[in-house]
Amino acid sequence: MEHRLSDPPAAPGIGAKQYAEVWGDTVDLKDLGKAVVIGGVIALACYLIAGRILLGYAPTAQIARTYAMLFGLLGCVGAGALCARLFAPKRDLSEAELDDSWRDETLAALAEGGRFGRTEDLPPAVQAEMKELGLYDTFVRYEAVLRQAEAKNP
Amino acid sequence: MTPLMYDILVAVGMGLLGAVLFSAIGLISGTDETTTIAPVTLLVVLLGVPPAGVFTFWLAAAVSKHMTHAVPTALLGIPGDTLAVPLMPQATSLRNLGVPHIALRKMISGAIIAAFLSVPLAVLFAVLLAPFGPAITSAAPWIFLAAALGVAYFSPGRWASVAALIPFVLLIVGLQTVTKGYGVSLGVSYFLGIAIGPLVADLFAILSPLDRKRMMRNAPRSFVLAPDVKSWGGHFPNPFRVLDRSQTGWTLVTATISSATFVFSPVAMTVMLGEVVGARIKHAYHRLTSVLAARNGVTEATYVAEALIPLIAFGLPLSPVAAGPAAPLFNAPPVFTINNATGEIHNLHTLMSPLEFLGYGLLAVLLAGLIAYPFAMNYARSAAAFVSRNLSHEAIIATFVGLVLVIGTWEGGALALMVIVTVGLVGGTLYRTLGLNTGVQFMGYYAAVLSVPTIAKLVTGG
């Protein structure tokens, strides 16, 4: 890249990604700029070029224009595929194992409204489902804890 | 080949296309139904696909997307689209309990049962309402005005949205007058501008040094992908075995209620009926799963009914879904038109009979059920991981920028592009700052096209 005198002195973080949240997800501003140009140019070029060529073949100008739009849409998809290859997603995906503290927090949150219920009162089908998921014992144990707490502070 | 056979073949083909395409799009979190389904359906209409094909495509697409958007909702903890927002608390609780796959399965099993139920119910309600059709059609300018005000009040912006309708409608009337001066009359461009508004507004904001600060982030967004467990043999799980008996019952009851209430927003119905179910179930775990099944069934049923009832009974887009994602089924000039001067309608309402709507509607749900349902049940986890690892948000934005340029240039050249950007910037900014959502803006558009000429005539006495 060309270096200009007006550029700030090199510092850690230069050339680093500039993350921003646009339309519901994170992007890098430089990549976003390139993607917008690529998407616009490819799609519009496909539409205009297809329109020129089809005008010679289609029975009416109206039909030529409509099919040119289909090519334009294919251009959009193509531009999207190209950008997907060029720019990596700015997402941090981990496949962490379940954190037990979340489980306890969730149980506490569920009990907050005072309506936790009793697992033994559930229909057998639901109890079986909970056993299969390994949640049966978790809930029964937590219900006992709740009952004890209730006995202490009625 | 008889014409009927030909129609059915086209419908099956288009339905499969819609189901496959939108099963994939649904996996991309945050893709709004209106921004994705409306433009693609518009394209299908404009390419001259027969009515049965258009309708089957739309419904199969909507039902499929609704199923696969449960994947990011349950496994990544981000709402698949606006309709999934009311399901987040329950989905997150089950995710934290370590059983996100249960959240997913309860959701989509509720959805498929509700979809099958809502199609015949919607047709039935539409047939019951049809005798009032002529009266409603002739009063359309006033109904749209009332609908716009009502939808605005129930939007997140409340009174601000109601008040903001005036400048917004005036903007559309003004733009129409300007383009008419150049002999250009636009329709699709307004829809696209409204649908894509949040993206346009965000792109402008990021260009401004002042507003950019709000959007800057220090690090990429992080997601935790939850583990998945398959708990049945074979390929096609039975939704009636995924839900227990009381959950199936609640799903059927709430889906029936929400099919009848087609004028309300799907999100509002989902929240309300979910509360009703939740209040009646004592056990915490059972409550989570039952509310999820019922809520997702309600969004599905409301969605189907909101599109089908106005389409079959009136031919006018008299509900938030009909005015938004289903808009091209009502109005896609020059193929489908609603003439604002004479009130004459030429769209699926006039081209298909209630019996055809029922048949092709069930076909669409069946196709979506055969493709999206087993796909989401079996491959949810790997699909979610693939999309978040390989499809950058930049690529999605590039696709939509291309779409705006192509459709805009197609409809009215540079003038149409300027209209899309204007409507998008104003609409998107009003959405973000005031809570004037896209549904209200679509109603505002109809108020500008249908109500304003009538009011003007009344005021000037002409």
Side-chain angles (χ1 to χ4, degrees):
Chain A
M1 212 187 351
E2 185 186 6
H3 186 82
R4 283 164 303 176
L5 284 175
S6 62
D7 281 350
I14 247 189
K17 299 275 182 198
Q18 285 185 286
Y19 296 114
E21 190 171 326
V22 175
W23 210 32
D25 206 348
T26 24
V27 294
D28 170 53
L29 288 187
K30 261 187 213 151
D31 287 354
L32 176 68
K34 288 180 209 158
V36 167
V37 173
I38 292 173
V41 168
I42 293 186
L44 209 54
C46 283
Y47 170 72
L48 293 174
I49 293 168
R52 278 283 162 81
I53 296 172
L54 286 167
L55 209 55
Y57 295 95
T60 67
Q62 176 75 29
I63 294 174
R65 257 162 40 89
T66 309
Y67 276 94
M69 186 169 71
L70 184 65
F71 280 97
L73 191 83
L74 291 177
C76 294
V77 175
L82 178 68
C83 289
R85 287 203 64 123
L86 287 177
F87 312 122
K90 279 78 191 170
R91 300 185 190 104
D92 201 359
L93 192 74
S94 54
E95 302 188 32
E97 284 298 302
L98 180 73
D99 190 341
D100 271 343
S101 66
W102 287 4
R103 193 176 274 218
D104 294 342
E105 266 172 41
T106 308
L107 287 170
L110 287 174
E112 230 162 58
R115 299 196 314 129
F116 199 79
R118 283 154 62 103
T119 304
E120 57 208 69
D121 295 344
L122 284 173
V126 184
Q127 291 193 20
E129 180 183 301
M130 289 179 73
K131 278 181 190 153
E132 212 171 278
L133 297 168
L135 285 176
Y136 186 86
D137 293 335
T138 314
F139 271 76
V140 170
R141 222 176 295 140
Y142 200 77
E143 282 155 28
V145 174
L146 283 179
R147 243 166 290 159
Q148 270 175 6
E150 219 168 287
K152 269 187 207 153
N153 338 293
Chain B
M1 197 162 30
T2 64
L4 179 67
M5 273 306 289
Y6 173 75
D7 271 359
I8 291 175
L9 274 181
V10 170
V12 169
M14 292 309 295
L16 280 175
L17 181 70
V20 171
L21 190 64
F22 280 89
S23 291
I25 293 177
L27 292 172
I28 307 164
S29 54
T31 45
D32 186 70
E33 326 80 42
T34 311
T35 18
T36 51
I37 300 182
V40 180
T41 307
L42 181 70
L43 193 83
V44 168
V45 175
L46 295 176
L47 285 173
V49 172
V54 171
F55 175 69
T56 316
F57 175 87
W58 185 85
L59 192 59
V63 174
S64 304
K65 183 178 184 310
H66 184 254
M67 280 200 203
T68 53
H69 89 205
V71 174
T73 311
L75 299 192
L76 290 172
I78 30 175
D81 62 27
T82 42
L83 287 178
V85 175
L87 292 103
M88 287 310 294
Q90 284 79 20
T92 311
S93 291
L94 285 173
R95 193 161 165 262
N96 290 344
L97 285 172
V99 289
H101 51 292
I102 289 300
L104 176 70
R105 281 169 206 161
K106 298 282 180 185
M107 279 163 76
I108 57 179
S109 298
I112 187 138
I113 293 174
F116 271 111
L117 178 72
S118 64
V119 170
L121 281 178
V123 174
L124 176 73
F125 291 136
V127 171
L128 292 177
L129 281 171
F132 306 102
I136 287 176
T137 315
S138 61
W142 303 107
I143 291 174
F144 274 105
L145 186 65
L149 294 172
V151 174
Y153 178 73
F154 286 105
S155 76
R158 297 284 158 169
W159 287 111
S161 297
V162 176
L165 266 177
I166 297 170
F168 187 77
V169 168
L170 206 62
L171 171 76
I172 289 176
V173 174
L175 286 173
Q176 283 181 322
T177 316
V178 171
T179 59
K180 209 173 270 172
Y182 295 95
V184 177
S185 148
L186 302 171
V188 174
S189 296
Y190 291 98
F191 281 110
L192 199 60
I194 293 171
I196 213 88
L199 173 63
V200 176
D202 270 6
L203 288 179
F204 270 87
I206 208 83
L207 277 179
S208 152
L210 208 63
D211 214 12
R212 190 184 301 154
K213 292 191 197 94
R214 177 178 58 83
M215 310 173 75
M216 296 308 287
R217 298 287 179 271
N218 295 324
R221 231 169 129 181
S222 57
F223 300 107
V224 180
L225 185 62
D228 193 5
V229 183
K230 183 172 170 169
S231 57
W232 66 90
H235 194 73
F236 200 96
N238 179 353
F240 290 102
R241 296 194 57 180
V242 176
L243 300 185
D244 60 56
R245 206 175 288 181
S246 86
Q247 288 169 343
T248 307
W250 279 119
T251 305
L252 291 173
V253 170
T254 51
T256 306
I257 298 172
S258 59
S259 295
T261 52
F262 69 97
V263 285
F264 300 114
S265 104
V267 176
M269 287 308 293
T270 307
V271 172
M272 207 179 71
L273 290 171
E275 294 299 320
V276 170
V277 173
R280 273 159 188 74
I281 294 171
K282 286 202 193 82
H283 191 269
Y285 168 81
H286 200 216
R287 188 160 62 234
L288 289 178
T289 51
S290 305
V291 168
L292 273 182
R295 277 210 169 141
N296 211 38
V298 169
T299 55
E300 187 73 71
T302 322
Y303 213 74
V304 171
E306 287 205 9
L308 260 61
I309 296 177
L311 192 58
I312 301 169
F314 318 121
L316 289 170
L318 280 168
S319 77
V321 173
L329 304 181
F330 294 86
N331 196 10
V335 183
F336 296 157
T337 51
I338 296 175
N339 189 320
N340 44 342
T342 60
E344 200 180 311
I345 295 167
H346 176 79
N347 57 26
L348 290 184
H349 173 70
T350 49
L351 296 169
M352 284 170 69
S353 69
L355 202 64
E356 285 174 309
F357 277 111
L358 178 66
Y360 293 117
L362 287 174
L363 174 70
V365 175
L366 182 72
L367 291 171
L370 286 175
I371 289 170
Y373 183 70
F375 172 71
M377 290 293 264
N378 290 306
Y379 304 108
R381 189 168 188 281
S382 40
F386 178 86
V387 168
S388 16
R389 290 222 172 90
N390 294 297
L391 191 64
S392 57
H393 199 50
E394 284 90 339
I396 297 167
I397 294 177
T399 310
F400 277 94
V401 168
L403 189 78
V404 166
L405 289 177
V406 168
I407 294 193
T409 315
W410 172 83
E411 201 190 27
L415 203 55
L417 285 178
M418 286 190 277
V419 166
I420 296 178
V421 173
T422 309
V423 173
L425 176 62
V426 174
T429 308
L430 288 175
Y431 189 174
R432 182 171 64 75
T433 55
L434 297 184
L436 182 85
N437 61 25
T438 39
V440 183
Q441 295 177 23
F442 282 120
M443 283 295 179
Y445 168 79
Y446 282 107
V449 173
L450 295 167
S451 316
V452 170
T454 313
I455 298 169
K457 224 181 268 173
L458 212 66
V459 172
T460 58

